[in-house]
Amino acid sequence: MKTLMGYIAGLIFGLGLTISGMTDPARVLGFLDIAGAWDPTLIFVLGGAVATNFIGYRLVLRRLHPIFGERFQLPTRQDLDSRLIVGASLFGIGWGLSGYCPGPAFTSIVGLSAPLFAMLVTMVLGWFLARAITTRAT
């Protein structure tokens, strides 16, 4: 049942990204172009996500445990370390250069184009490179 709920959540996420137009990298790049033809669409999608999560977490965490799990899996770390800052910076640079966030990129795979394919391949290579770097560092 837990796996089914994951699929349903992914379906809702993908539908939301597609309906809101966030699978179009031009929307993201338009949002980042504050000195040119600025497109505020992304801020409304992000605002809706933050509001939904803010309310949802408060309602869900009133329960003793999840419906399909034994305990909630919440982050425990609250510190900012160099790995988080460097990783977030690289993520932001990649997002800004390509216009694709990983979620919308995977959602857009049905309309695969050369730029999207290049982004997905290099993103996967980045995962392997990051794993190799962090494994060697520890």
Side-chain angles (χ1 to χ4, degrees):
M1 189 56 84
K2 190 175 175 182
T3 303
L4 176 63
M5 290 299 111
Y7 284 122
I8 291 171
L11 178 66
I12 292 169
F13 180 71
L15 284 171
L17 286 173
T18 304
I19 291 168
S20 67
M22 291 298 108
T23 56
D24 180 5
R27 292 257 185 185
V28 174
L29 296 174
F31 176 76
L32 297 173
D33 187 12
I34 56 175
W38 187 62
D39 181 357
T41 310
L42 180 59
I43 205 154
F44 292 107
V45 174
L46 291 173
V50 168
T52 301
N53 273 296
F54 181 81
I55 294 166
Y57 263 85
R58 269 133 194 88
L59 294 174
V60 167
L61 292 179
R62 289 182 181 172
R63 302 181 54 84
L64 295 176
H65 58 82
I67 295 172
F68 299 112
E70 296 180 18
R71 63 180 175 82
F72 291 106
Q73 297 175 356
L74 300 172
T76 55
R77 288 186 61 175
Q78 295 184 1
D79 60 322
L80 297 176
D81 63 358
S82 60
R83 286 182 57 194
L84 175 65
I85 293 168
V86 170
S89 299
L90 289 171
F91 174 86
I93 291 167
W95 189 13
L97 289 173
S98 70
Y100 282 112
C101 185
F106 281 113
T107 303
S108 301
I109 208 161
V110 250
L112 190 62
S113 63
L116 175 58
F117 180 75
M119 182 271 178
L120 289 169
V121 168
T122 53
M123 182 177 68
V124 171
L125 290 173
W127 288 340
F128 286 111
L129 179 61
R131 181 177 288 167
I133 291 170
T134 56
T135 302
R136 189 176 305 168
T138 56

